[in-house]
Amino acid sequence: MGQLKIQQVAIVGLGALGVLYAEHFSKRLPKECVEVIADAKRIERYKRDGIFCNGKPCTFHYVTPEQATPADLILIATKFDGLSEAIEIIRPIVQKQTIILSVLNGIISEEEIAKVFGVEHTLYCVAQGMDALKTGNHMTYVNKGLLCIGADLEGMELERLHTVTKFFDETEFPYEVDPQMRHRLWGKFMLNVGVNQTVAAIEGTFHDVQIEGEARDMMISAMREVIKIGQAEGIALSEKDLAYWLDILATLNPEGKPSMAQDVDAKRKSELPLFAGTIRKLGVKHQIATPTNDKLYAIIQAIESNY
């Protein structure tokens, strides 16, 4: 098989990360080669109100699912509860050479995508180190972070991985390759369980968990529960991983907020079932107590029930 080349990119989901990636690739490829797929109603709103990145208007190439071009690379950047809809949207544009990257939170989106399209179309992907904040149609960020990618599941082709790294090199997109992506996925999940939920529960910002105090203690306690659960699931998480992700947290814009806190601000349902929900279920499965995640679950559920 000859070396594949990524020429046509599709992005599904225009939250903070979707805007970040659409903005990056739209500046480096011909406009029509980066398609942002959305329904007609959303597209109308985007065109009417505009989408702004760090104060500048974005000029994206919007298409409905019916208008979408077969893609070489598809980035899924929806919320987790939008994954099944995203899978249906991309069905017609997945070709033999298509590679799918999911930047969703959680630990199972790659498996869900591979169930439908086959593991050969899927690479593991973790978005980390970005502090993108989206309020209405305005997205701001200080750190673009990077995409960590890898192919450590049997059937995930190394050639596909090389195709993506070559494309990222050409488009100057920050990335890292990790041969132990399931471990990395669980590490990011651990950070999310701590940071996303704690900042949402206290209705604060990254600053509140970057400094010593009750909020940071609560966050670290929630992360340590993930270490225990991960070990029971055969993932060798440790205090070393905790320190690594806390170092990444320290680089984020103190005034920024994780996605769950942004949901609370906007009075939207959050990814609570994905974070504390998953940990509590696995805690029951392995008979491991998860008091901090139980507490965070109760706090955030109470906030959401008052919308």
Side-chain angles (χ1 to χ4, degrees), residues 225 276 279-280 288-300:
E225 289 176 4
I279 287 304
R280 293 170 81 223
I288 294 169
T290 56
T292 307
N293 275 283
D294 292 344
K295 186 179 175 182
L296 285 163
Y297 191 86
I299 293 168
I300 296 161

Side-chain angles (χ1 to χ4, degrees), residues 142-197:
V142 175
N143 294 310
K144 191 171 275 185
L146 56 83
L147 286 183
C148 190
I149 54 175
D152 69 349
L153 195 64
E154 212 158 305
M156 286 184 173
E157 295 178 32
L158 278 174
E159 186 178 358
R160 302 278 162 116
L161 181 61
H162 296 148
T163 301
V164 175
T165 58
K166 191 164 180 281
F167 173 69
F168 285 169
D169 284 336
E170 286 166 0
T171 54
E172 300 171 309
F173 190 83
Y175 72 92
E176 194 178 299
V177 174
D178 189 335
Q180 289 185 299
M181 279 301 295
R182 273 187 63 72
H183 185 269
R184 177 77 65 131
L185 219 54
W186 268 84
K188 170 76 187 296
F189 179 61
M190 171 179 68
L191 179 72
N192 273 327
V193 165
V195 175
N196 254 299
Q197 297 190 128

Side-chain angles (χ1 to χ4, degrees), residues 15-34:
L17 290 188
V19 173
L20 189 71
Y21 304 137
E23 196 256 352
H24 182 93
F25 294 121
S26 293
K27 281 181 170 175
R28 288 161 177 84
L29 293 169
K31 194 178 166 185
E32 66 282 0
C33 292
V34 182

Side-chain angles (χ1 to χ4, degrees), residues 38 53 87 89 160 223 237 302:
C53 179
I87 284 171
I89 284 171
R160 302 278 162 116
M223 290 170 78
L237 285 176

Side-chain angles (χ1 to χ4, degrees), residues 209-261:
V209 288
Q210 287 168 328
I211 57 167
E212 295 302 323
E214 271 179 55
R216 187 175 172 90
D217 292 346
M218 186 188 228
M219 171 189 75
I220 290 171
S221 174
M223 290 170 78
R224 287 199 168 116
E225 289 176 4
V226 180
I227 291 177
K228 282 185 194 163
I229 299 283
Q231 288 170 349
E233 285 280 302
I235 305 292
L237 285 176
S238 68
E239 287 290 315
K240 194 177 158 191
D241 294 300
L242 183 83
Y244 170 84
W245 289 100
L246 290 178
D247 283 347
I248 286 176
L249 171 64
T251 68
L252 303 182
N253 178 11
E255 292 164 26
K257 295 183 181 199
S259 58
M260 207 168 184

